[in-house]
Amino acid sequence: MSLPLVFLTLLATATLAAAEIRFTETRSDDRPLILLDEFGFTHRGQLELNVTQLSLSGSSPDPPELSKVGFFLCTLDAWSHVLQEIEDAQINCVLGSDAIKKVFTFDRLPTPTAAAFNFSYEDSSADQYTLIFANCIPQLKVSMNVRSAMYNLEGGKSNRRDYLSAGKTVLPRVYFLLSVIYFAMAAVWINVLYKKRLTVFGIHFFMLAVVLLKALNLLCEAEDKSYIKRTGSAHGWDVLFYIFSFLKGITLFSLIVLIGTGWSFLKPYLQDKEKKVLMIVIPLQVVANIAQVVIDETGPVAQDLIAWKQVFLLVDVICCCAVLFPIVWSIKNLREAAKTDGKAAVNLMKLTLFRQYYIVVICYIYFTRVVVYALETITSYKYFWTSVVAGELATLAFYVFTGFKFRPEVHNPYFVIDDEEEEAAAEQLKLEDEFEL
């Protein structure tokens, strides 16, 4: 694979990492480019590199030209210029371009056999930078441990470090505020369940569990980002975040499946095919969470990062598609029941409700998987937080819609239908059948 294609592939698959202090180990690695981290600098950006256990082997010629090996910072726009220089044969190594910002090349080592070094780099150009290790010497294998810390200095006399990228520094407050909203929603839902306790089904308690897990997940994420912002490390909050994220994912998809099947509302049991959907969704969520942990914790330096991202994307898509089937089955069953049991109005109202829920689930999945990703792509790095807010607000709206539409009711409108409404509903169902034909 050519050098330009290698870099473009790395950029296409790199996650917008939390940019905490990152530790990277490479062993006998001969890749021409190794993407280490990505960060949004303000005008007071800083980079610290600490390299230990450094060794070079297998090079030709011997000794190698160490000016062709080292670390550099690059923006996406700058890389376009580098590609043009390579194409025009102006340079034969990315480190020879004036478009990049060379951080440290190995010809600056105290001795050619030095096994460790420390280096600090300051940058006053606010932009989104990618930290990359370049090796322009064929067959040269590099082994090293790299500790990279990228941060911005806050204003004022304190010069306090902010280890969150410029577009993410407000995320701790955003996640904390959202967690408060979800805890408030849980309190409101508990009050509703208490007042309507005579008509509460098991699904309503399950909905409460989903809201509480979402609130705890956001609270842990707020603490996770807060500690990273101040210290560069999550201090264990990332473990709690992954646990609650895993539980939240499983319960949310299970809730959509259970509501879609009409469990508790239309029937007190699940059919075999509906149980199979749950048996598919739950293990897939386990795989998706494992993939997400690997992606987050190993960072972009992992050689199998592309495979893990593909696994996560594939599993997420399968889960999103799987939860739609029970809703489709319920809609089909309600239409068939409307023709046979003589309760056209009741079935029409149930049918309308499940159609609405089907549309909302599709919109929710599309927005949080496609639109939010598009926002991340087109939005400036300084406003990355807006895509997070957009996705979380869509999720909040989905939770509110689900709770409102499937709340416990003392006077269920499905069972207070008069004859006139029954006749009108029967006529509407008949027209719908004719239209489909």
Side-chain angles (χ1 to χ4, degrees), residues 198-219:
L198 296 178
T199 54
V200 168
F201 292 107
I203 193 72
H204 295 121
F205 292 106
F206 197 89
M207 292 164 75
L208 174 62
V210 171
V211 174
L212 285 172
L213 286 172
K214 177 65 176 177
L216 291 169
N217 175 240
L218 287 167
L219 181 61

Side-chain angles (χ1 to χ4, degrees), residues 56-69 106 111-113 137-138 140:
L56 307 175
S57 61
S59 64
S60 178
D62 191 15
E65 298 179 62
L66 295 181
S67 61
K68 293 185 177 181
V69 184
F106 283 10
T111 63
T113 58
I137 303 177
L140 177 66

Side-chain angles (χ1 to χ4, degrees), residues 25-332:
E25 294 184 5
T26 59
R27 293 291 178 267
S28 299
D29 200 325
D30 60 355
R31 284 180 289 173
L33 295 173
I34 301 177
L35 190 151
L36 297 174
D37 213 341
E38 193 172 21
F39 194 77
F41 280 139
T42 64
H43 292 289
R44 305 185 68 191
Q46 304 274 329
L47 164 64
E48 292 181 358
L49 277 178
N50 175 251
V51 177
T52 57
Q53 298 185 29
L54 173 64
S55 67
L56 307 175
S57 61
S59 64
S60 178
D62 191 15
E65 298 179 62
L66 295 181
S67 61
K68 293 185 177 181
V69 184
F71 300 88
F72 70 94
L73 291 170
C74 187
T75 65
L76 191 57
D77 291 337
W79 186 252
S80 300
H81 183 71
V82 172
L83 290 179
Q84 189 62 48
E85 290 180 322
I86 294 174
E87 184 177 343
D88 296 341
Q90 297 177 23
I91 59 173
N92 58 9
C93 178
V94 62
L95 291 171
S97 173
D98 293 331
I100 65 165
K101 298 191 175 186
K102 285 190 284 188
V103 175
F104 187 90
T105 52
F106 283 10
D107 59 331
R108 300 168 64 184
L109 288 170
T111 63
T113 58
F117 68 87
N118 297 313
F119 190 79
S120 296
Y121 181 87
E122 297 183 9
D123 195 284
S124 59
S125 302
D127 211 330
Q128 179 85 357
Y129 287 97
T130 303
L131 174 63
I132 305 167
F133 175 76
N135 175 9
C136 297
I137 303 177
Q139 300 178 346
L140 177 66
K141 296 182 179 181
V142 181
S143 298
M144 60 183 173
N145 295 339
V146 180
R147 176 190 180 275
S148 59
M150 303 175 75
Y151 56 89
N152 294 308
L153 294 178
E154 297 181 347
K157 298 180 180 180
S158 62
N159 280 335
R160 187 169 54 187
R161 297 181 178 186
D162 184 350
Y163 288 94
L164 284 180
S165 182
K168 298 183 177 182
T169 189
V170 300
L171 287 183
R173 282 173 285 176
V174 169
Y175 286 128
F176 180 76
L177 177 60
L178 287 167
S179 71
V180 171
I181 293 174
Y182 277 97
F183 278 121
M185 285 176 55
V188 171
W189 191 246
I190 291 172
N191 185 54
V192 170
L193 297 185
Y194 177 76
K195 290 183 177 179
K196 305 293 181 66
R197 54 188 177 276
L198 296 178
T199 54
V200 168
F201 292 107
I203 193 72
H204 295 121
F205 292 106
F206 197 89
M207 292 164 75
L208 174 62
V210 171
V211 174
L212 285 172
L213 286 172
K214 177 65 176 177
L216 291 169
N217 175 240
L218 287 167
L219 181 61
C220 290
E221 190 158 14
E223 288 298 315
D224 175 71
K225 293 293 186 290
S226 178
Y227 272 93
I228 290 174
K229 176 183 173 73
R230 290 181 280 118
T231 68
S233 174
H235 291 273
W237 282 100
D238 53 340
V239 177
L240 288 174
F241 164 71
Y242 289 133
I243 291 173
F244 285 114
S245 181
F246 166 68
L247 294 174
K248 181 263 300 180
I250 286 181
T251 54
L252 177 59
F253 277 100
S254 299
L255 176 66
I256 296 173
V257 171
L258 293 173
I259 290 180
T261 62
W263 179 70
S264 288
F265 292 110
L266 307 179
K267 57 191 179 184
Y269 59 89
L270 294 175
Q271 297 180 2
D272 289 340
K273 61 181 179 180
E274 294 159 354
K275 292 178 181 177
K276 288 178 181 177
V277 172
L278 280 174
M279 295 304 294
I280 292 173
V281 168
I282 292 175
L284 285 178
Q285 278 295 296
V286 174
V287 175
N289 278 271
I290 292 173
Q292 188 62 63
V293 171
V294 172
I295 292 169
D296 289 346
E297 293 302 312
T298 59
V301 71
Q303 298 193 44
D304 55 353
L305 175 68
I306 298 175
W308 278 109
K309 287 185 71 68
Q310 289 174 339
V311 168
F312 176 75
L313 180 62
L314 177 63
V315 168
D316 195 45
V317 169
I318 293 174
C319 284
C320 291
C321 293
V323 297
L324 295 175
F325 285 109
I327 307 176
V328 174
W329 295 334
S330 293
I331 292 173
K332 180 181 178 182

